[in-house]
Amino acid sequence: TLEVHYAALGPGMEGLAVHRAALFGVLHDAALAAGLPIRTGIVIDSVDNPSERPVLIDTEGRRHGPFELVVDATGSRSAIAAQVFGPVHTPLAYGALWANASWPGAPFADDTLQQRYDRASIMAGVLPIGRRAAGGQDEAAFFWSLKPAQYAAWRTAGLDAWKNQVLELWPETAPVLATLIDAEQLVLASYGHHTLPYAYAGAVAFIGDGAHSTSPQLGQGANMALLDAFALSEALTREPKVERALTLYDAMRRRHVLLYQAMSRLFTPFYQSDSRVLPALRDALFAPVSRLPGMRHVLASLVAGHWGSPLRRIGADSTRAHTTQFGSSNGRISRSR
């Protein structure tokens, strides 16, 4: 068993389990409070004149803009990023099925992400994700490694056959599986690697998975997106000209992004791949190495997103900003064979 505790970072340090819907709700409520217009039901297909006053073009051919600044947060399959930079996304063989369920309780701890593996080709995880809204019910995310190429065969085999496979690996997940009665409750997430040459193009800024994507092995997806948004806000505050602000934004995030992209590329095959050698090395070495002097702090720093000192690169005062692990757990990560 490999365990990583955020407490190893020092007194008062912890992760924060946040449902992505709760993050969206905070942003949506802030936009409404500011009186910003929100338009839905529009799919952006391309951008015209991105270098100066970009105009967005939707799939119906309608034009929106011009704008002083466009922020693209549409994810790893951003149509604008593909138009501007060309194909940059490299799909990974493995993805995962994801579903949300009510928090199952014991034997699962609500401050711990727990995962079980059989080599690197089979993996299940139970992740505390907090509540969608204040006063709501605690929830968990359940995930299961699956190649997107095998998704059709998984649906054909049926939910019961899959549940039996999960229970054979991890019997304690029975309460979670009992809430899954339809295959539509499980969403297939496909993963890939890419980092744009620049996190901007003209007056278009890319944040989150649109700017950089990777496998979720280090749990940094939401963290990275929030750091991008924070850096972009800081850059626009310091530089009145959009061009200079976006250059500064890119410089603030470049080192941290590249570092975590490299670490993700390094670790992913140990946890999601068809290799037999790498998971054997993982099982033999990772847990003993994690118990060496100083390694608990090193690993906690890695999964908390602290490597590369992202807030220092942004120039943030630690009293104004505090990096936490969004979407993993309050206390620790546990990975078992």
Side-chain angles (χ1 to χ4, degrees):
T1 299
L2 172 65
E3 294 191 1
V4 181
H5 296 256
Y6 295 119
L9 295 173
M13 297 298 292
E14 60 183 15
L16 179 62
V18 177
H19 198 296
R20 286 176 181 260
L23 289 177
F24 174 83
V26 170
L27 178 61
H28 185 257
D29 291 346
L32 292 178
L36 300 177
I38 297 176
R39 300 183 63 185
T40 60
I42 297 172
V43 179
I44 299 301
D45 183 62
S46 60
V47 61
D48 188 23
N49 194 33
S51 297
E52 296 179 7
R53 303 261 305 172
V55 173
L56 299 177
I57 304 171
D58 66 29
T59 51
E60 302 296 323
R62 295 170 297 194
R63 298 173 67 87
H64 308 269
F67 302 100
E68 292 183 44
L69 171 67
V70 169
V71 179
D72 184 340
T74 57
S76 60
R77 291 167 182 78
S78 163
I80 296 177
Q83 173 194 343
V84 173
F85 295 106
V88 295
H89 193 70
T90 303
L92 295 174
Y94 275 89
L97 295 167
W98 286 80
N100 292 345
S102 299
W103 180 250
F108 298 100
D110 61 7
D111 64 351
T112 304
L113 159 63
Q114 296 184 54
Q115 295 171 272
R116 291 286 180 92
Y117 291 85
D118 182 2
R119 297 197 298 270
S121 56
I122 296 178
M123 176 269 289
V126 176
L127 169 71
I129 54 176
R131 304 170 182 176
R132 300 183 190 223
Q137 186 179 47
D138 289 331
E139 295 187 41
F142 177 79
F143 51 93
W144 174 266
S145 271
L146 186 73
K147 292 180 177 180
Q150 296 174 341
Y151 180 65
W154 173 82
R155 290 191 66 111
T156 300
L159 210 57
D160 289 339
W162 170 71
K163 286 184 178 182
N164 290 336
Q165 185 182 9
V166 178
L167 290 172
E168 184 177 350
L169 175 72
W170 202 355
E172 291 81 3
T173 61
V176 178
L177 297 179
T179 68
L180 304 177
I181 58 175
D182 191 312
E184 295 300 324
Q185 291 177 260
L186 292 120
V187 176
L188 176 66
S190 56
Y191 305 138
H193 280 293
H194 82 256
T195 303
L196 297 183
Y198 300 96
Y200 68 96
V204 179
F206 300 93
I207 67 173
D209 285 353
H212 44 75
S213 70
T214 186
S215 77
Q217 296 304 323
L218 298 178
Q220 295 302 305
N223 273 3
M224 288 289 203
L226 290 168
L227 285 166
D228 289 349
F230 181 45
L232 180 60
S233 174
E234 289 288 296
L236 290 167
T237 299
R238 298 176 201 175
E239 293 286 355
K241 292 187 176 181
V242 169
E243 180 181 1
R244 295 180 63 180
L246 295 189
T247 301
L248 176 60
Y249 157 62
D250 184 70
M252 287 175 170
R253 295 293 296 128
R254 179 63 46 178
R255 177 182 173 184
H256 185 245
V257 166
L258 291 177
L259 176 59
Y260 272 85
Q261 294 290 81
M263 296 306 296
S264 179
R265 286 179 181 272
L266 174 64
F267 282 112
T268 292
F270 288 92
Y271 291 100
Q272 280 191 307
S273 72
D274 294 323
S275 173
R276 291 177 175 268
V277 175
L278 293 180
L281 289 174
R282 175 199 68 201
D283 294 343
L285 297 177
F286 282 19
V289 168
S290 72
R291 291 189 285 269
L292 294 176
M295 285 303 298
R296 290 192 180 276
H297 183 276
V298 169
L299 292 174
S301 181
L302 174 65
V303 299
H306 288 186
W307 282 24
S309 304
L311 292 177
R312 188 180 304 165
R313 299 289 295 180
I314 297 171
D317 185 337
S318 62
T319 62
R320 295 171 50 230
H322 180 67
T323 300
T324 50
Q325 173 75 10
F326 285 90
S328 281
S329 64
N330 290 329
R332 64 192 179 107
I333 298 172
S334 177
R335 288 175 166 171
S336 304
R337 289 185 59 188

